[in-house]
Amino acid sequence: MTYDLVIIGGGPAGYLAAERAGQAGMKVALVEERALGGVCLNEGCIPTKTLLYSAKLHDGVAQGARYGVSAQDLKIDHETVIKRKDKVVRTLVAGVKAQMRAKQVEVVSARGLITGKTEEGFTVQAGEQTLTGKRLLIATGSAAAVPPIPSLKEGIESGFVLTSREILDKKELPASLCVIGGGVIGLELASYFSSLGVPVSVVEMLDHIAGENDQELVALLKADLEKRGIVFHLNSTVTEVTETGVRFTKDGEEQVLEAGSVLLSIGRRANTRDIGLESIGVATTRQGITVDEHLRTNIEGVYAAGDVTGFSMLAHTAYREAEVAVNHMLGIEDTMRYNAIPAVIYTNPELASVGHTEESARQAGLEIKAVKLPMRFSGRYLAENEGGASIMKLIVNKNTQQVVGLQALSNYASEFIVTAGTFIELSLTLDQVKKIVFPHPTVAEIIREAVFAYEE
């Protein structure tokens, strides 16, 4: 059967593209081997946030005496948390399925393999079916990276080493947890299990955690997590997974870390293998599929969006990329920009960033000034938070007086970071931002405070 668009992959990029294309009247087939929703919905963004919310409630009650609230016999039932996570995921997956039906998208539950091109379009083998699409969108996502560490694969096969997929399904708590990798997922799950009283250690190859975030805020976050009992081993390279833990080197010395379970969380790789890209000549790099600002590949009529491009592995980036790709198919002028993509680490407190950090702005040759304020400048924040290091930085281009970045270590940061992203996307100057009315009291008012605190 011939379709206007065949999409391989039912994650954020795939299902949103199907929804937008179906809404525009295109005949769409969506091919997904596993559950609709992809990694984000089934084993990433949503499941981890469900767990972290339970931990946040637990932490809030545990510290309730600061607010005049006390409780006895406080505990958190991990098995109940996992059951609730499963319910949340089922509800959202059902919602995606309903949207596909509403937009008359044909969902094919099978592995999609590109097999070639005919006069009618691109052919995709999906189980027993052969689908033909006048256009093709590749949205096959990513998978957990598995480095060539001795005995690592054996550890995964035995269940001793877990990825984010497996650990989110385990109803029993590990006696202790060693996390390999201090990135987003590693830190979020370290934070969760630490709240449940599990001894947690993080082994990170770099000299810092949390990737390319503002290093001053990262240091504060690390100190906060250490106060909660998480132990960090930085500048450390894992050399072997043993039957009871990991072996790593630091400063030339070998150390052994015992653990009840190991979480492998060193990043993800684009799913470009064994999907038939070579059958039509789609260009790739080690990073992923190569695309332009319209998400077009080098093959006319073939697009790629989401993690498979290897550029910005975030669900909200995938959503926007899908919209840009479909708009181009429909002849609607649109381009993908990455200068105002927010990123959040949902620890407690959260670490959120959008646009440039001080470091990246200077590397880009911008003359900038950073306005740094403690979060207690926000009345709402102060009313609801007692103790802890929380801070916000507003990055301003001194020559244009435009906001070019914002970073915040703060509860609620994930909710107000988009405000600064909007300023960046619209290239607003400080004088323009000053005329925007913020509701009071809100935590987002910290941005207004920073704008008025700016001095040459």
Side-chain angles (χ1 to χ4, degrees):
M1 185 176 293
T2 301
Y3 298 84
D4 295 315
L5 173 64
V6 172
I7 302 170
I8 305 177
Y15 74 71
L16 192 75
E19 182 181 336
R20 297 289 188 265
Q23 188 172 8
M26 296 175 69
K27 185 177 180 181
V28 181
L30 176 63
V31 183
E32 171 54 52
E33 181 181 16
R34 297 170 62 86
L36 285 176
V39 169
C40 178
L41 180 47
N42 291 281
E43 55 195 68
C45 322
I46 299 301
T48 54
K49 303 314 162 286
T50 307
L51 269 62
L52 287 165
Y53 183 70
S54 293
K56 186 175 182 179
L57 287 176
H58 174 274
D59 293 347
V61 176
Q63 300 170 13
R66 297 178 178 181
Y67 306 88
V69 179
S70 60
Q72 295 179 338
D73 300 323
L74 177 64
K75 66 177 182 178
I76 183 167
D77 185 338
H78 179 63
E79 183 174 353
T80 300
V81 173
I82 294 297
K83 288 179 179 178
R84 180 174 179 271
K85 178 267 296 184
D86 292 340
K87 182 183 72 172
V88 170
V89 170
R90 285 195 303 271
T91 300
L92 293 174
V93 169
V96 174
K97 291 179 179 178
Q99 283 286 67
M100 296 303 98
R101 289 193 297 270
K103 301 302 186 292
Q104 298 182 328
V105 174
E106 182 176 345
V107 177
V108 182
S109 299
R111 179 175 177 80
L113 177 67
I114 304 167
T115 53
K117 187 178 186 304
T118 67
E119 292 183 359
E120 288 75 27
F122 302 95
T123 54
V124 174
Q125 191 67 34
E128 300 299 318
Q129 300 185 57
T130 298
L131 312 176
T132 302
K134 297 176 183 177
R135 301 177 187 84
L136 180 64
L137 174 64
I138 304 165
T140 46
S142 64
V146 180
I149 297 173
S151 302
L152 179 61
K153 289 187 177 180
E154 290 83 351
I156 293 174
E157 290 171 358
S158 70
F160 176 61
V161 178
L162 310 167
T163 68
S164 58
R165 174 184 295 176
E166 294 86 24
I167 201 167
L168 288 169
D169 285 333
K170 288 185 71 68
K171 296 180 180 179
E172 308 83 21
L173 290 175
S176 58
L177 181 66
C178 171
V179 181
I180 302 177
V184 177
I185 297 299
L187 291 176
E188 290 182 353
L189 289 172
S191 177
Y192 171 75
F193 284 102
S194 176
S195 290
L196 272 64
V198 175
V200 178
S201 298
V202 177
V203 181
E204 169 57 52
M205 184 170 61
L206 300 177
D207 63 358
H208 62 276
I209 59 172
E212 299 305 313
N213 279 284
D214 180 276
Q215 290 306 297
E216 182 179 3
L217 273 64
V218 166
L220 291 172
L221 173 62
K222 176 175 173 287
D224 189 271
L225 294 174
E226 286 174 329
K227 288 178 182 177
R228 295 168 52 187
I230 298 176
V231 178
F232 291 95
H233 300 275
L234 305 182
N235 291 309
S236 300
T237 302
V238 176
T239 57
E240 183 186 5
V241 173
T242 70
E243 292 182 356
T244 58
V246 300
R247 195 184 307 274
F248 65 91
T249 58
K250 180 176 182 177
D251 300 327
E253 296 184 4
E254 186 176 83
Q255 299 184 41
V256 177
L257 184 62
E258 300 292 321
S261 290
V262 174
L263 170 64
L264 178 65
S265 182
I266 63 167
R268 303 185 67 81
R269 60 170 180 79
N271 286 329
T272 58
R273 299 177 183 176
D274 303 322
I275 59 173
L277 297 180
E278 67 284 350
S279 69
I280 55 175
V282 174
T284 64
T285 64
R286 291 183 63 184
Q287 187 179 41
I289 295 177
T290 303
V291 294
D292 65 8
E293 69 273 18
H294 303 295
L295 285 306
R296 295 179 298 184
T297 70
N298 61 307
I299 304 299
E300 184 69 27
V302 180
Y303 299 74
D307 285 7
V308 74
T309 67
F311 187 70
S312 176
M313 292 187 173
L314 297 167
H316 44 280
T317 302
Y319 286 145
R320 179 65 186 133
E321 288 175 338
E323 291 172 338
V324 171
V326 172
N327 281 341
H328 188 269
M329 298 174 197
L330 297 172
I332 300 171
E333 181 57 37
D334 199 0
T335 56
M336 186 66 202
R337 296 182 298 279
Y338 297 94
N339 63 316
I341 303 291
V344 183
I345 301 178
Y346 291 85
T347 45
N348 185 14
E350 298 171 345
L351 178 59
S353 179
V354 66
H356 280 296
T357 62
E358 287 186 85
E359 296 93 334
S360 69
R362 293 193 174 104
Q363 288 172 3
L366 299 179
E367 187 177 0
I368 56 105
K369 180 177 177 63
V371 180
K372 182 169 65 174
L373 292 179
M375 289 302 300
R376 63 176 178 269
F377 273 54
S378 160
R380 170 76 181 276
Y381 180 87
L382 188 60
E384 298 184 8
N385 290 270
E386 191 71 33
S390 292
I391 196 171
M392 188 220 69
K393 284 186 180 182
L394 183 74
I395 314 300
V396 179
N397 185 322
K398 293 178 68 174
N399 295 323
T400 64
Q401 294 287 289
Q402 291 173 330
V403 177
V404 295
L406 185 143
Q407 296 81 46
L409 178 66
S410 163
N411 287 327
Y412 320 105
S414 59
E415 297 297 334
F416 69 74
I417 194 70
V418 69
T419 305
T422 302
F423 298 162
I424 297 169
E425 189 67 42
L426 298 178
S427 301
L428 297 186
T429 64
L430 297 183
D431 285 342
Q432 290 172 316
V433 175
K434 287 177 180 178
K435 298 175 182 177
I436 295 174
V437 178
F438 287 72
H440 177 77
T442 56
V443 179
E445 285 180 291
I446 192 72
I447 301 174
R448 176 178 168 83
E449 294 291 337
V451 168
F452 276 94
Y454 177 88
E455 296 179 356
E456 287 288 353

